[in-house]
């Protein structure tokens, strides 16, 4: 990256809270938003993390994603002049296309952004886009966000994602593969969420902000969907690319924020990748796993990692000044972002 970008705000709707503050508080307190539901006519129990909501907001899966995302976007954007909103780009990661998410059965993915913008009641920059690629896709577009602000006069970028794995199609797919927690002690807990961070070129009016100094992106051939376990090559490449610049390097990293969801696959991948990357001796590498509170939230996971890093610096509970966000998508995309504590303008 030519210059750092600043995380100047965030918005979230998760099983742990209906805004960013509630979500962060629940993660810090190590609370769990898990609950047990029954699946199918036989009443098979399943642990999930879902957002309690009125059924009028969840008439269909597509409408539910739109409602979640609109709420999180409006929180992240805040009360701004309509002209600022019109100069703001939305980059929205949606559920990965291979999943054939039921949300897009009635709402085609190419119409999703227009519906979302209409639901927010705002007007956004025409460069706004939806993104395929899952959790890692949003982090992978940080450099694009920087270029939009540098070259096209964009005021700011709202970067994030919306997803729900708590639907019949994903539950059946994950269950058939033996990946759900319950039947598999090392399975994942399906969750749902919308999380967005507001990226700016300059820190303005924030007491303390988080600066993104480097990113890395790579594609893993041996994804969790393949018949082979990952050797961590793509994640290792993403980690190395993230520190391959003028910002913090590997010895400077104080803690990790990971979207690891508890699956054996992820544990083995990081067991191989991390020792190859972290070569500086450490007594302890503190690691935050937000999925322990909100479950696997798919495409929203990347923005949640950035939001948690920024809040830990702002509220001064971070174990150090440099965080490394490690994010993996189900289909194999891997991303890493180096985030550093820095004083903002007053």
């Amino acid at each position: 990256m030519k210059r750092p970008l600043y995380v100047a705000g965030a918005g979230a709707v998760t099983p742990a809270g209906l805004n960013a503050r509630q979500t962060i508080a629940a993660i810090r307190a190590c609370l769990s938003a898990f609950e047990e539901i029954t699946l199918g006519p036989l009443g098979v129990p399943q642990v999930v993390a879902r957002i309690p909501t009125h059924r009028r907001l969840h008439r269909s899966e597509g409408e539910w994603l739109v409602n979640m995302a609109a709420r999180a976007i409006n929180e992240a954007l805040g009360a701004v002049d309509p002209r600022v909103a019109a100069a703001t780009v939305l980059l929205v990661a949606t559920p990965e296309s291979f999943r054939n998410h039921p949300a897009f059965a009635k709402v085609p993915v190419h119409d999703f952004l227009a519906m979302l913008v209409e639901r927010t009641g705002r007007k956004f920059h025409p460069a706004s886009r939806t993104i395929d690629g899952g959790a890692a896709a949003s982090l992978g577009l940080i450099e694009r966000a920087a270029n939009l602000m540098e070259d096209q006069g964009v005021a700011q970028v709202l970067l994030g994602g919306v997803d729900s794995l708590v639907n019949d199609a994903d539950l059946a797919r994950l269950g058939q593969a033996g990946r759900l927690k319950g039947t598999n002690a090392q399975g994942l807990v399906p969750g749902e969420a919308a999380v967005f961070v507001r990226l700016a070129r300059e820190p303005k009016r924030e007491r303390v902000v988080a600066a993104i100094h480097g990113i890395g992106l790579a594609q893993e051939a041996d994804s969790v969907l393949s018949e082979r376990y990952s050797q961590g090559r793509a994640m290792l490449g993403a980690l190395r690319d993230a520190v391959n610049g003028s910002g913090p390097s590997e010895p400077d990293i104080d803690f990790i924020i990971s979207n690891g969801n508890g699956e054996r696959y992820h544990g083995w991948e990081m067991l191989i990748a991390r020792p190859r990357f972290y070569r500086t001796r450490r007594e302890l590498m503190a690691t935050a796993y937000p999925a322990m509170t909100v479950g696997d939230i798919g495409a929203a996971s990347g923005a949640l990692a950035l939001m948690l890093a920024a809040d830990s610096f702002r509220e001064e509970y971070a174990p150090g000044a440099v965080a490394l966000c490690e994010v993996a998508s189900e289909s194999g995309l891997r991303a890493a972002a180096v985030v550093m504590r820095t004083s903002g303008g007053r």
Side-chain angles (χ1 to χ4, degrees):
M1 292 177 62
K2 297 178 182 178
R3 55 183 295 179
L5 283 187
Y6 296 91
V7 182
V13 181
T14 74
L18 298 182
N19 56 40
R21 182 178 293 274
Q22 291 176 2
T23 297
I24 291 295
I27 293 172
R28 287 186 64 185
C30 299
L31 300 180
S32 171
F34 299 172
E35 63 175 303
E36 189 175 273
I37 63 173
T38 55
L39 302 178
L42 299 179
V44 178
Q46 177 57 51
V47 178
V48 300
R50 60 181 178 180
I51 300 170
T53 183
H54 194 282
R55 59 186 176 184
R56 66 181 175 83
L57 298 175
H58 201 155
R59 293 192 182 99
S60 69
E61 295 294 340
E63 188 174 6
W64 177 227
L65 292 193
V66 168
N67 286 328
M68 281 196 293
R71 183 184 179 108
I73 287 168
N74 280 331
E75 182 190 1
L77 188 58
V80 298
D81 188 291
R83 289 173 294 182
V84 176
T88 300
V89 167
L90 272 179
L91 297 178
V92 186
T94 55
E96 292 165 282
S97 56
F98 81 88
R99 289 164 52 191
N100 295 317
H101 198 284
F104 303 123
K106 295 183 179 179
V107 181
V109 66
H110 57 267
D111 293 334
F112 181 79
L113 183 63
M115 290 186 62
L116 176 56
V117 170
E118 181 181 3
R119 189 62 53 87
T120 64
R122 318 250 194 169
K123 290 185 178 180
F124 292 94
H125 193 282
S128 299
R129 294 287 185 272
T130 56
I131 313 147
D132 193 11
S138 53
L139 294 192
L141 286 174
I142 289 174
E143 193 155 4
R144 179 178 176 183
N147 292 336
L148 285 169
M149 287 184 273
E150 191 79 30
D151 303 330
Q152 298 188 30
V154 171
Q156 55 188 1
V157 172
L158 294 185
L159 180 70
V162 60
D163 205 342
S164 174
L165 278 77
V166 189
N167 63 77
D168 292 342
D170 277 315
L171 290 172
R173 173 179 66 87
L174 295 169
Q176 186 175 13
R179 295 175 55 195
L180 291 174
K181 187 172 182 61
T183 55
N184 181 354
Q186 293 181 316
L188 64 88
V189 174
E192 56 186 5
V195 186
F196 287 83
V197 292
R198 179 164 50 90
L199 302 181
R201 289 176 60 189
E202 301 290 344
K204 297 179 180 178
R205 297 185 297 277
E206 280 79 22
R207 175 172 57 89
V208 175
V209 295
I212 304 171
H213 281 268
I215 58 170
L217 194 68
Q219 181 68 39
E220 176 58 60
D222 299 323
S223 75
V224 70
L225 304 174
S226 71
E227 297 181 354
R228 293 162 50 93
Y229 276 99
S230 167
Q231 300 299 304
R233 296 183 181 91
M235 180 59 81
L236 179 61
L239 294 171
R240 287 175 173 170
D241 287 346
V243 298
N244 186 24
S246 59
S249 58
E250 181 271 323
D252 301 316
I253 297 167
D254 297 301
F255 65 105
I256 299 168
I257 301 177
S258 169
N259 77 324
N261 59 10
E263 284 193 273
R264 179 187 290 109
Y265 172 90
H266 178 271
W268 284 5
E269 178 179 72
M270 298 316 298
L271 186 65
I272 297 171
R274 282 179 180 164
R276 295 177 180 175
F277 174 72
Y278 295 100
R279 307 309 296 264
T280 305
R281 185 181 181 278
R282 295 170 171 87
E283 291 294 334
L284 175 68
M285 177 60 87
T287 305
Y289 292 100
M292 294 175 66
T293 293
V294 299
D296 189 328
I297 56 173
S301 301
L304 179 61
L306 293 175
M307 182 177 79
L308 182 57
D311 185 80
S312 70
F313 296 139
R314 181 172 289 110
E315 300 302 325
E316 300 182 346
Y317 60 88
V322 180
L324 187 56
C325 298
E326 302 173 348
V327 181
S329 294
E330 189 176 355
S331 60
L333 194 62
R334 302 290 185 263
V338 178
V339 188
M340 185 176 181
R341 183 185 189 275
T342 179
S343 297
R346 291 177 180 268

